[in-house]
Amino acid sequence: MPSGKEVLTIEKSMPSGRLDSYLRTRFPEVSRGTFQRLIDEGQIRINGRIVKPTHTPRSGETVEITWPEARPAEAQPEDMPLDILYEDDRLLVLNKAPGVVVHPAAGHEEHTMVNALLHHCRGELSGIGGVARPGIVHRLDKDTSGCLVVAKSDETHLALSDQFASRKVQKTYLALVCGEIQRDSGSIRAAIARHPSHRKRMAVDDEFGREALTGYEVVERLRGVTLVKCFLHTGRTHQIRVHFQFLGFPLVGDATYGNRQNQRLDDLTHFTAKRQMLHAWQLSFIHPRSGAKLSFEAPLPEDMQDAIETLRGIRED
């Protein structure tokens, strides 16, 4: 990825195009998801203005890109256990444990998935994500567990990124949410943007947000809690957490988006979760080389199984 500040001029209008797609044609080594993130963060502007990734490129517009600074030092390999669901010479699929950070960042320089991958793969990881995120095609929050795909080459990384961007990857999560949802199934369509005053949070924002759609099915109703299966049709930051808060049923254990409801749950059941109860359960995509459809399922982590059993027992009482 380039570094520093860069300014370019759009030479030809693209009436049916998007800014993020246009930038991919200018910088093919950078994923569309990276451009979307930089646009959302205001690091890419048109004529000095913050725009959306869907902005239509027009002839004569000036694009100002502030590339993130490269980390001064690369992450170091660490001999850490990895729960590998699948591996070949192109990619890996991991079952990420809760509490593990995916890539190094401020406050989390060591003991991340990247540190473990550098040791396991011995340098055979894609470089598109930069020194901080080698091989990382998508991410899971620190306290979210489950399926995570990792690319070993730039070619594989780009192919998988395109599948994520074009919504060809099938992602199913399991979540425990506060409250008992009455409908057996439904969908939540609400645009998501960065919170206007809390920059580490996201929020539903119809004016400035990007399209977001989550489907769900109720699996089981427990004491004060519902176990739901979630289908991600888009991949926005904190999407499931924000959407279920918007619906009025924030995730069990989510201190960022559901403090009040989790306190009510504690008062009702005396149960407190130490992290948000969210698990990337199933993942399906097309193998970039063979063209075969690959499907994976990560078993529920022990703490989430225990939460379900505890709340199930309380309901039966």
Side-chain angles (χ1 to χ4, degrees):
M1 186 185 296
S3 60
K5 198 159 191 175
E6 191 157 354
V7 179
L8 56 95
T9 301
I10 297 174
E11 298 177 352
K12 183 180 179 181
S13 296
M14 302 173 62
S16 59
R18 297 165 48 115
L19 178 60
D20 53 359
S21 299
Y22 165 76
L23 291 171
R24 273 298 306 279
T25 66
R26 297 294 296 264
F27 304 95
E29 75 278 10
V30 182
S31 73
R32 185 175 162 194
T34 296
F35 281 125
Q36 291 172 345
R37 175 171 57 82
L38 291 175
I39 294 169
D40 282 345
E41 293 173 353
Q43 302 302 322
I44 297 178
R45 301 182 178 223
I46 298 292
N47 295 337
R49 297 182 296 106
I50 294 177
V51 296
K52 295 182 180 180
T54 54
H55 174 83
T56 301
R58 297 179 179 87
S59 176
E61 288 182 327
T62 299
V63 184
E64 304 167 35
I65 306 173
T66 303
W67 299 104
E69 292 185 10
R71 287 170 50 84
E74 295 186 7
Q76 298 301 309
E78 292 184 44
D79 187 2
M80 296 167 54
L82 288 172
D83 185 356
I84 299 174
L85 301 176
Y86 174 85
E87 181 176 11
D88 62 22
D89 62 340
R90 298 290 174 126
L91 56 88
L92 301 92
V93 179
L94 308 173
N95 178 18
K96 175 191 164 308
V100 177
V101 175
V102 171
H103 56 76
H108 298 285
E109 303 290 338
E110 301 176 323
H111 315 312
T112 70
M113 296 290 290
V114 163
N115 296 113
L117 287 165
L118 287 170
H119 178 272
H120 177 79
C121 297
R122 287 166 171 75
E124 293 183 357
L125 291 170
S126 71
I128 290 174
V131 296
R133 307 182 184 191
I136 303 302
V137 180
H138 65 125
R139 63 183 294 273
L140 297 176
D141 294 335
K142 173 187 174 183
D143 289 328
T144 299
S145 54
C147 292
L148 183 75
V149 61
V150 176
K152 290 186 175 181
S153 69
D154 289 356
E155 180 185 7
T156 300
H157 195 137
L158 289 171
L160 290 171
S161 293
D162 282 341
Q163 288 189 51
F164 275 95
S166 59
R167 304 177 187 176
K168 294 177 181 176
V169 177
Q170 296 175 319
K171 296 168 284 184
T172 304
Y173 286 66
L174 289 174
L176 282 171
V177 302
C178 296
E180 298 185 32
I181 299 177
Q182 296 306 306
R183 294 183 60 185
D184 290 335
S185 62
S187 60
I188 311 166
R189 186 186 294 274
I192 293 175
R194 196 159 295 280
H195 195 285
S197 55
H198 301 284
R199 301 307 292 168
K200 292 187 177 181
R201 295 178 57 180
M202 309 299 287
V204 168
D205 188 328
D206 291 332
E207 183 177 1
F208 297 107
R210 293 166 61 194
E211 175 196 11
L213 174 61
T214 305
Y216 70 87
E217 291 179 6
V218 170
V219 177
E220 185 176 356
R221 295 179 178 88
L222 306 166
R223 175 64 167 165
V225 165
T226 307
L227 175 62
V228 291
K229 192 185 299 183
C230 310
F231 310 100
L232 275 184
H233 300 290
T234 52
R236 309 303 175 215
T237 301
H238 297 177
Q239 178 172 318
I240 291 174
R241 299 166 66 187
V242 171
H243 268 177
F244 276 94
Q245 179 204 36
F246 177 68
L247 202 64
F249 301 95
L251 268 62
V252 172
D254 194 336
T256 301
Y257 296 104
N259 261 335
R260 188 188 313 163
Q261 290 90 339
N262 272 278
Q263 184 57 56
R264 289 178 189 161
L265 178 64
D266 182 87
D267 293 341
L268 177 67
T269 65
H270 304 296
F271 173 80
T272 302
K274 295 182 178 179
R275 58 133 180 150
Q276 72 245 14
M277 294 284 98
L278 181 61
H279 179 66
W281 181 41
Q282 295 176 333
L283 180 71
S284 297
F285 57 88
I286 304 300
H287 193 285
R289 184 174 188 179
S290 69
K293 183 175 181 179
L294 302 180
S295 298
F296 303 96
E297 183 173 307
L300 275 176
E302 187 175 350
D303 65 340
M304 198 162 172
Q305 292 184 50
D306 289 345
I308 293 170
E309 292 298 329
T310 297
L311 293 164
R312 184 181 287 148
I314 293 173
R315 185 171 187 86
E316 290 172 353
D317 292 345

